[in-house]
Amino acid sequence: MKGTYLGEFEEIVLLTIGVLQDDAYGVAIKLEIEARTSRTPSIGALHSALSRLEDKGFIASKEGGATQARGGRRKRFYTITAAGKSTLVKANRLRNELFNLIPNLSTEGLN
């Protein structure tokens, strides 16, 4: 397992896998990120992040069945591992802790 540092894009990918659950494969993850963040990650950047997350032990993957709609190609589905869940919880705690320490922060008027 590589280091346990979680980059910002990796965190978004990991969270998106959690949102999609059993339907978390490359294109679905990309589309969900686009819908939620208005970012348009390239499929190459996404696969690089998926590879790093798998190397770190935060996700696992398995191939699904081949379909005619995909020209006989298989989808690779991703799931969050226990280490990935633990890392997300720690990242969320840290963000909330730091957020709550900011004095006089108002979210009024923000979207």
Side-chain angles (χ1 to χ4, degrees), residues 13-32:
V13 172
L14 195 55
L15 288 165
T16 303
I17 291 169
V19 168
L20 294 173
Q21 300 205 351
D22 293 340
D23 200 32
Y25 65 96
V27 172
I29 296 167
K30 181 181 183 317
L31 293 175
E32 188 71 19

Side-chain angles (χ1 to χ4, degrees), residues 52-74:
R52 288 192 305 273
L53 289 168
E54 198 160 20
D55 288 347
K56 292 175 181 180
F58 296 158
I59 61 172
S61 68
K62 66 178 180 183
E63 285 190 336
T67 64
Q68 284 187 337
R70 294 179 45 86
R73 294 185 333 220
R74 299 172 184 263

Side-chain angles (χ1 to χ4, degrees), residues 65-86:
T67 64
Q68 284 187 337
R70 294 179 45 86
R73 294 185 333 220
R74 299 172 184 263
K75 292 178 182 175
R76 179 164 291 279
F77 291 92
Y78 298 91
T79 56
I80 300 175
T81 64
K85 290 176 186 173
S86 175

Side-chain angles (χ1 to χ4, degrees), residues 97-110:
E97 193 177 300
L98 290 170
F99 185 87
N100 291 329
L101 290 172
I102 299 172
N104 304 321
L105 180 66
S106 172
T107 58
E108 267 185 51
L110 300 177

Side-chain angles (χ1 to χ4, degrees), residues 1 4-5 8 13 19 22 27 33 36 38 47 49 65 67 71-72 80 83-85 90 92-93 100 111:
M1 179 188 312
T4 57
Y5 174 77
E8 189 256 352
V13 172
V19 168
D22 293 340
V27 172
I33 289 171
R36 300 264 178 200
S38 300
H47 282 287
T67 64
I80 300 175
K85 290 176 186 173
K90 288 176 187 171
N92 190 42
R93 278 189 197 140
N100 291 329
N111 293 331

